[in-house]
């Protein structure tokens, strides 16, 4: 490494931090950095997205799936603004993403220069953890080090702003030893955080007193899989999963009830309603109506600001999930009388799994989207990574896809942004190029961000040792999740002007971009289409034409929700006949044994 400009030095420092891949889009405001990338040769891989937003989303997925900081790059002004949605996705899901953005020359700041935007003000909320402009070469080392260190330790997005004149200045690798100079280090080690033994004893006493124990785990439990299973075994506990924690434990582990919440399963709802003590690990699940009412609870989280945020927990254990559960485990007691509770949970899950399959087999016009999800679950290759988009597709992802040992699944959790599925899949493929990847998306999300990024898939596929990247589009011509929210939450009929999508033959578009594809309109062809898609060993798109009137039913339908739906239909919903017909079919199937 022999830095000559500030841009060269920035890349050198990123490499010392272990970053060798950047997602982004060029522009004259960041040209100095791209010149340095060209000089760096094969030391770095630059992934050109079709839009800065999708570049940031690729970086988020890359961070989620590598558990390491990822970097996105954009030019000044409009390019920087485009990053915001992806960076907010990183902020809401606590991911270490560093954005490096260009800016106009220092001499023009405040002069309303072409493409000049107050970037520190723009990023002040999304990058509240750290956002800094490099104004002199001596500052670059400190700013890069702090951006990476803070992103990693606080699990938050950070922003480095590089004016275009600073990018071309001579580098200062190590500032002089003088007053006002920072000489920072890139070395980082993480602490082992374990709660006080007194608090662990109090938590153990509370859990030992329970006879119907429920656990709720999130993505923060990912490093504690063995400990979660051991604790659940001692306590005979059922384990529900927050959506971002869906892939923490395989869905076939005995006692795992699946996801919780509006997109959750009936066994998870019943687990929470029937328990007498709750243990939450690595989650800050936001929908309190799906948590127990008045049940004593213990929460484990590494971030003290997330403790006691959603539920009035009686014992709060601030610590690493793995180390905390390992310290708690010897203090827990087995009780034979809990066995019936565990047997009931396992039986509820078996009944639910059978019900899901029955409902997926219900006829629809033309294809039941649940059938697509069930068949995808059956066809997923070992070690597959599934990225889901926001919309009704995430309902079927949450309930119908069974992730086996070694599989991963991810999505935009707290932000729940549309348009993440395909960019996430590209980020996943660069993170793990040897693994199969599936993007499970709706047609609204596909039109928003997915179509353009098919070009990115076609462009980079040859770089991946395993080229299996299957995009599954649930094509119903409707912004379906919002349509159902209009009906069930507001009591309004479908507003056709806002909900109708222009028809697109997604398979034809994919083929035009050099990607294999099929359009599927017959439910009898779904399984065979998945066989062909995965056998292609190359990027492939499946345009699944599905029925928009299959209701994404929550695990527990309230009186208010039912009333709103009836009002919406009574007001003349354009899909009234199809909804009534499909709801009757679903109801009959759900009560069959």
């Amino acid at each position: 490494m022999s830095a000559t400009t500030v841009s060269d030095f920035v890349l050198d420092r990123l490499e010392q931090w272990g970053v060798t891949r950047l997602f982004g889009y060029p522009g004259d405001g960041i040209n100095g950095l791209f010149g340095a990338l060209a000089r760096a040769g094969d030391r770095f891989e630059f992934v050109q997205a079709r839009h800065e937003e999708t570049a940031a989303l690729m970086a988020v997925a890359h961070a989620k799936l590598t558990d390491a900081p990822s970097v996105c790059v954009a030019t000044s002004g409009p390019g920087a603004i485009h990053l915001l949605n992806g960076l907010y996705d990183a902020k809401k899901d606590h991911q270490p993403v560093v954005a490096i953005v260009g800016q106009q020359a220092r001499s023009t700041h405040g002069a309303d220069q072409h493409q000049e935007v107050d970037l520190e003000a723009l990023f002040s909320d999304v990058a509240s953890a750290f956002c800094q402009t490099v104004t002199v070469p001596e500052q670059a080392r400190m700013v890069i080090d702090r951006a990476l260190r803070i992103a990693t330790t606080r699990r938050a997005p950070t922003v480095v702003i590089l004016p275009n004149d600073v990018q071309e200045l001579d580098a200062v690798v190590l500032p002089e030893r003088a007053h006002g100079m920072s000489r920072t280090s890139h070395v980082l080690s993480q602490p082992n955080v374990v709660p006080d033994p007194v608090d662990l004893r109090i938590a153990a006493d509370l859990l030992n007193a329970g006879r119907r124990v429920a656990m709720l785990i999130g993505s923060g439990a990912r490093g504690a899989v063995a400990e979660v299973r051991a604790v659940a075994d001692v306590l005979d506990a059922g384990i529900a999963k927050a959506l971002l924690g869906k892939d923490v434990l395989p869905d076939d582990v005995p006692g795992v009830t699946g996801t919780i919440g509006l997109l959750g399963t009936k066994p998870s709802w019943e687990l929470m309603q029937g328990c007498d003590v709750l243990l939450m690990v690595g989650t800050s699940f936001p929908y309190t109506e799906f948590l127990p009412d008045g049940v004593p609870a213990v929460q484990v989280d590494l971030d003290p600001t997330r403790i006691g945020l959603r539920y009035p927990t009686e014992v709060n254990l601030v610590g690493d999930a793995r180390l905390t559960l390992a310290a708690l485990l010897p203090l827990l007691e087995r009780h034979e009388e809990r066995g019936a509770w565990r047997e009931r949970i396992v039986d509820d899950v078996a009944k639910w799994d059978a019900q899901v399959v029955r409902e997926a087999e219900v006829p629809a016009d033309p294809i039941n989207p649940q059938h697509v999800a069930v068949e995808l679950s059956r066809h997923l290759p070992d070690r597959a990574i599934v990225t889901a988009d926001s919309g009704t597709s995430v309902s079927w992802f949450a309930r119908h896809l069974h992730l086996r040992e070694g599989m991963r699944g991810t999505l935009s959790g707290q932000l729940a942004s549309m348009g993440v599925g395909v960019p996430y899949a590209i980020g996943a493929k660069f993170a793990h190029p040897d693994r199969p990847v599936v993007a499970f998306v709706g047609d609204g999300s596909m039109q928003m961000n997915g179509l353009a990024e098919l070009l990115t898939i076609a462009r980079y596929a040859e770089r991946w040792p395993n080229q299996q990247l299957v995009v599954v589009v649930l094509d119903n011509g409707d912004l379906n999740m919002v349509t159902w929210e209009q009906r069930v939450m507001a009591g309004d009929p479908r507003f056709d002007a806002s909900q109708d999508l222009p028809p697109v033959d997604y398979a034809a578009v994919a083929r035009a971009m050099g990607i294999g594809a099929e359009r599927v309109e017959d439910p009898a062809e779904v399984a065979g289409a998945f066989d062909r898609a995965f056998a292609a060993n190359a990027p492939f798109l499946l345009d699944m034409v599905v029925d928009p009137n299959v209701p994404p039913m929550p695990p527990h339908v309230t009186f208010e929700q039912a009333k709103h739906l009836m009002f919406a239909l009574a007001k003349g919903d354009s899909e009234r006949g199809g909804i009534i017909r499909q709801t009757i079919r679903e109801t009959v199937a759900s009560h069959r044994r």
Side-chain angles (χ1 to χ4, degrees), residues 456-474:
T456 307
I457 293 171
R459 178 180 189 174
Y460 291 112
E462 289 187 358
R463 297 191 185 184
W464 306 322
N466 179 322
Q467 294 188 26
Q468 289 177 309
L469 197 167
V470 178
V471 179
V472 182
V473 183
L474 299 181

Side-chain angles (χ1 to χ4, degrees), residues 96-110:
V97 173
V98 179
I100 300 177
V101 298
Q103 178 58 295
Q104 300 307 302
R106 293 167 297 172
S107 60
T108 67
H109 291 184

Side-chain angles (χ1 to χ4, degrees), residues 364-433:
D365 184 19
I367 300 174
N368 189 328
Q370 298 171 100
H371 176 60
V372 176
V374 167
E375 284 298 336
L376 172 59
S377 187
R378 291 168 175 164
H379 283 79
L380 282 176
D382 290 342
R383 301 178 66 244
I385 301 171
V386 183
T387 66
D389 219 307
S390 298
T392 47
S393 57
V394 80
S395 298
W396 318 130
F397 165 83
R399 296 184 187 134
H400 294 67
L401 259 65
H402 277 219
L403 299 181
R404 305 189 303 274
E405 188 78 38
M407 292 183 175
R408 293 294 306 270
T410 190
L411 71 166
S412 175
Q414 288 281 57
L415 189 62
S417 175
M418 277 182 68
V420 307
V422 175
Y424 260 39
I426 296 169
K429 203 66 184 174
F430 276 101
H432 298 285

Side-chain angles (χ1 to χ4, degrees), residues 235-248:
L235 298 175
D236 279 318
I239 309 172
K241 300 185 286 187
L243 191 54
L244 282 174
K246 177 175 172 62
D247 64 343
V248 170

Side-chain angles (χ1 to χ4, degrees), residues 320-348:
D320 173 84
R322 181 180 64 82
L323 297 175
T324 300
L325 293 182
L328 185 63
L329 193 57
L331 306 177
L332 300 178
E333 301 170 355
R334 295 183 182 273
H335 293 289
E336 290 185 6
E337 57 267 42
R338 291 185 183 133
W341 166 248
R342 181 64 173 265
E343 289 174 6
R344 171 185 151 186
I345 293 167
V346 172
D347 185 56
D348 286 345

